[in-house]
Amino acid sequence: MTGRKATAGSAAAVAAGLALVMGAAAPGQAATVQRAAGARTVPNCGAAVTGPMSAATRATAAAGREGAPTTVVTGNAAQKLSYGLAPEAPIGLWSSSNVTLRTPVSKGTVRLDVTTQGFIADSLLMQRYDTKSHRWVDLDHQPTSDAHPEKGTFSFPVSEPASAGRPATVALRVQAIDRPGRLTVTASVNDGHGHTYRAPARSTIVDRPTTTVTGWPRGASLTRGGAAKEFALTVKNTTKRAYPALNAGYFAYGQGGNRAVAPKDLVLQQYVAGRGWQRVALVPSGCDPGMSAGLTPTVKSPLAPGASAVYRLRLTVAGGAPLADVDAGVSVGTGDTSLYYGTLPFKIRGK
C-alpha cells in the first residue's frame, strides 16, 4: 500500500471509507485483500478492522456464480499432460485456464506450481469447474513460505480414463487480486500408478486499467468558505478485456481542535453530463469520524478496452469547518476488488 504518515484515527477512517465505497459493489465479486491497492475493512467502534479476507475465502464466495465454461482441448497427441493459460489476466477478472490429460489417471493429483513477479502468490485465486455439481470450486492451496512469497502450489484430485485418442480436459480459471506483474504456472500430474507427467510452463501478464489524478497539487490547501478546488480522476482501460462493475469513490478524515471534520464541513461535487455540477453525498463511516462517497458512473458498464472513464470533481470547505490537516483520497475498483488507491491530502485554512 502507499506509504504515508497518518494517525491511528486517520488510518481507521481511510480504511473504513474504502470499505464503505467498495462494499456497495455487486454481489458475486471477490473481496479485496489488504496487500492490494486498497484496504478492505469493516468499520468497528473504537478500532480499525484491518484483517483482510483471504484469497481462499474470496474464491469460495465467488464460486458457482458463473456459468459453465467452454471446454478447449490443449496440447498435442504426444503430450500426456498439457496446460493452457490465457495470455492476459487483468486484476479482478477471471481468466481461462485448463489441463488436458491423454493418459489414464486413477485417484491422481494435478499440481500447479505458480511463480509470480510483482505480487505475492497468496493473492492468487484458482478454481476448477466441477461437471457433476456444475459449480466452480477452489483448488487446494499450499501456503507460501515467508522466504519465497512469490511461489505457491495449487492442486486438485483427478480420475479420468483418458487416452491419446480420447483426451479429457478440466476447465480452470485464475484471478489476480493484488498488483500488476507476471504469472508463470507449471503443471504436473501424478497418475496414481507411480508416474508423474509434466507440461511446459505457461506465463501470463497481470495488468489493470491505468488511473491518474490531475489538478490536485502536493501541499494543497482550501480556505474555509473559499473557492472550490477542481480536480479529475481518469480511469483508462489499458487491458484487452472489458471491465464490468467499475466503481470509484472519495474518502476523507480530519481532526482539528476539539472535533473531527464532518460531512457538513465539506462540499463535494461531481460534473455529470447533461446535469452539470451535482453534489455528492458524503456519508459518515459508521462510528468512525471519517466519511466517504461513491461517485456517479460516467460511462456505461462495462468499460471497454481503450475506453476511459473521467470523473470531474470539485471540493469546497464550509465556513464553519475546523482548521485541520485532512487525509483524503480516491479509490477505484471493480466489484469489491481494488484497482487503485490514491491519497489527496489537504489543509483547511482560515480566511
Side-chain angles (χ1 to χ4, degrees):
M1 289 180 62
T2 304
R4 62 187 181 91
K5 295 180 180 179
T7 64
S10 63
V14 169
L18 279 171
L20 190 151
V21 172
M22 297 301 188
Q29 300 293 330
T32 307
V33 292
Q34 188 178 12
R35 292 177 296 270
R40 179 73 162 89
T41 68
V42 177
N44 183 37
C45 294
V49 180
T50 55
M53 288 187 181
S54 67
T57 300
R58 179 180 168 187
T60 301
R65 306 246 178 141
E66 296 185 21
T70 300
T71 301
V72 179
V73 176
T74 57
N76 56 60
Q79 293 176 307
K80 303 293 185 180
L81 172 71
S82 53
Y83 176 71
L85 179 63
E88 181 190 39
I91 292 174
L93 304 183
W94 287 111
S95 297
S96 62
S97 177
N98 65 67
V99 293
T100 297
L101 301 166
R102 292 183 176 84
T103 188
V105 177
S106 176
K107 296 182 180 180
T109 300
V110 171
R111 173 172 167 152
L112 304 173
D113 291 301
V114 303
T115 302
T116 61
Q117 294 178 342
F119 56 96
I120 63 174
D122 275 349
S123 67
L124 280 174
L125 314 176
M126 298 191 79
Q127 296 181 338
R128 65 180 174 87
Y129 188 74
D130 183 7
T131 56
K132 293 182 179 179
S133 65
H134 304 289
R135 292 178 59 86
W136 288 98
V137 297
D138 302 345
L139 302 191
D140 293 332
H141 177 220
Q142 181 177 338
T144 58
S145 68
D146 292 338
H148 294 284
E150 80 284 2
K151 294 184 179 295
T153 300
F154 294 83
S155 62
F156 61 93
V158 63
S159 292
E160 291 287 351
S163 64
R166 300 187 63 179
T169 296
V170 179
L172 306 172
R173 63 181 186 180
V174 59
Q175 184 177 158
I177 57 175
D178 196 346
R179 300 180 178 91
R182 188 176 181 85
L183 168 65
T184 299
V185 182
T186 302
S188 62
V189 63
N190 177 343
D191 68 358
H193 302 290
H195 303 98
T196 297
Y197 303 99
R198 291 178 173 81
R202 294 286 182 264
S203 296
T204 186
I205 298 298
V206 175
D207 52 4
R208 65 184 175 197
T210 300
T211 303
T212 56
V213 176
T214 55
W216 196 270
R218 179 177 298 181
S221 63
L222 284 83
T223 303
R224 293 190 300 190
K229 183 175 292 294
E230 185 173 341
F231 59 104
L233 169 67
T234 301
V235 184
K236 182 175 182 180
N237 188 359
T238 48
T239 77
K240 298 180 177 64
R241 297 269 302 280
Y243 260 86
L246 188 71
N247 54 67
Y250 179 86
F251 55 89
Y253 168 88
Q255 184 80 34
N258 58 0
R259 78 173 181 88
V261 178
K264 66 179 181 179
D265 298 317
L266 302 180
V267 178
L268 178 66
Q269 293 180 302
Q270 179 181 352
Y271 187 84
V272 180
R275 291 188 288 167
W277 288 101
Q278 304 288 307
R279 185 162 183 171
V280 180
L282 289 162
V283 180
S285 301
C287 53
D288 194 287
M291 66 192 83
S292 58
L295 303 180
T296 301
T298 61
V299 296
K300 293 183 178 180
S301 185
L303 185 66
S308 294
V310 180
Y311 303 84
R312 290 180 55 194
L313 304 167
R314 65 185 184 188
L315 184 68
T316 306
V317 176
L323 302 180
D325 290 324
V326 180
D327 288 310
V330 289
S331 57
V332 176
T334 177
D336 280 348
T337 302
S338 176
L339 299 175
Y340 174 83
Y341 163 81
T343 56
L344 304 174
F346 63 95
K347 181 182 291 292
I348 298 179
R349 298 184 181 275
K351 293 184 178 180

